[in-house]
Amino acid sequence: MSRKKLIAGNWKMNLCAKKAEDFANEMKGTVNTDAVDVVFCVPYVHLSAMKGIFAGTKIGVGAQNMHYAASGAYTGEISGEMLASMDIPYVIIGHSERREYFKESDTEVNLKALAALEAGLTPIICIGETSKQRKSGRTFNVIRKQLAFAIDEMSADDMAKIVIAYEPIWAIGTGDVATKEQAEEVCALIREEVKAGHGQAAAEKIRILYGGSVAPENAKELFSMPNIDGGLVGGASLKASFEKVVHFE
């Protein structure tokens, strides 16, 4: 089955308002394409401005996090309903930085993913192993465990509405990149796990991204692998050369 590639740029906590608008306007002229799906996941304060700048283009806008409650006394948090009301289609869930710095648990990641689906959003659910876990040969076990928690209580139909991003923690922002074979091996495992739990059709539909120091120099070889359906791109999504990641062909 042919799956359209998705290239998701994660701006993290970068760019003030003027710089964000200037960069978005530049990107509007270079990455507006039908060949792949492009989305920029931006800080909350930029969501409205980015929706306006990218209106009428093929470029989507996403958030970087959300709370699992629909509303309530959660000062500083944003709900899925709030994002949906702004017509924000994507939200990153369980990024390794959220897990490490803000102590998000596997259970919380699952609650957020389910809440995102309930709100009609497409969650980009991140999973990945540390350097220590990889070196000790535990990569597959870690991935299986994180994936099982993340998609718990999801149906086969839900699988077509989510995106899984494999982001080896040891490769994020380090300049170290998994080889195409290493990345493919884990993405293939993820697809096999989805197949085992939700069936062949669900496994064929779900998009699985690779994230971890993706750059113009390695995008083509990574995205050419059969089970890698695009990338979750950090630092490189803040540069003009992001165009080369998007047009990897």
Side-chain angles (χ1 to χ4, degrees):
M1 179 178 181
S2 178
R3 294 176 295 272
K4 192 175 185 179
K5 292 285 193 289
L6 170 63
I7 314 296
N10 177 15
W11 286 6
K12 305 189 180 185
M13 194 177 71
N14 291 293
L15 300 183
C16 64
K18 181 64 165 59
K19 289 182 179 179
E21 291 175 11
D22 288 347
F23 183 67
N25 278 307
E26 180 181 1
M27 289 294 96
K28 184 169 66 172
T30 62
V31 302
N32 185 25
T33 176
D34 283 316
V36 300
D37 288 332
V38 179
V39 57
F40 286 109
C41 295
V42 304
Y44 293 139
V45 295
H46 297 327
L47 288 173
S48 182
M50 296 305 106
K51 283 292 294 183
I53 290 172
F54 294 134
T57 74
K58 302 294 182 180
I59 302 170
V61 179
Q64 298 174 8
N65 184 39
M66 57 168 276
H67 199 278
Y68 52 78
S71 62
Y74 301 103
T75 301
E77 293 292 332
I78 302 292
S79 73
E81 288 189 1
M82 291 175 179
L83 295 176
S85 72
M86 294 180 65
D87 196 25
I88 302 296
Y90 293 93
V91 59
I92 298 173
I93 300 292
H95 192 279
S96 63
E97 291 158 4
R98 297 294 311 177
R99 293 175 185 260
E100 179 179 0
Y101 304 143
F102 301 97
K103 310 305 177 187
E104 288 190 3
S105 66
D106 287 332
T107 298
E108 191 170 4
V109 169
N110 174 247
L111 290 173
K112 289 184 177 187
L114 292 173
L117 287 171
E118 181 66 22
L121 308 176
T122 297
I124 302 174
I125 306 170
C126 302
I127 58 178
E129 83 281 16
T130 65
S131 177
K132 182 178 180 180
Q133 289 166 336
R134 172 164 280 274
K135 289 177 180 177
S136 64
R138 291 185 286 155
T139 293
F140 278 21
N141 287 339
V142 169
I143 295 302
R144 288 190 181 102
K145 175 178 176 289
Q146 290 181 348
L147 180 65
F149 267 100
I151 64 176
D152 186 39
E153 296 188 21
M154 291 187 189
S155 67
D157 288 341
D158 289 332
M159 291 297 100
K161 302 173 185 176
I162 71 172
V163 175
I164 300 293
Y166 167 54
E167 44 156 24
I169 296 170
W170 49 270
I172 299 173
T174 64
D176 293 330
V177 187
T179 65
K180 61 181 181 180
E181 291 82 11
Q182 288 174 322
E184 167 66 14
E185 181 181 49
V186 176
C187 290
L189 170 71
I190 293 169
R191 201 173 303 283
E192 282 300 313
E193 290 296 303
V194 172
K195 177 181 176 180
H198 295 85
Q200 180 71 34
E204 290 180 350
K205 289 178 182 178
I206 191 170
R207 291 196 284 191
I208 303 172
L209 312 183
Y210 169 77
S213 295
V214 176
E217 296 76 21
N218 56 44
K220 183 175 182 178
E221 67 173 19
L222 286 167
F223 300 164
S224 68
M225 303 306 285
N227 286 290
I228 300 178
D229 304 314
L232 180 59
V233 187
S237 71
L238 293 162
K239 301 175 182 177
S241 58
F242 183 61
E243 173 192 5
K244 297 180 180 178
V245 175
V246 172
H247 300 292
F248 60 93
E249 296 178 335

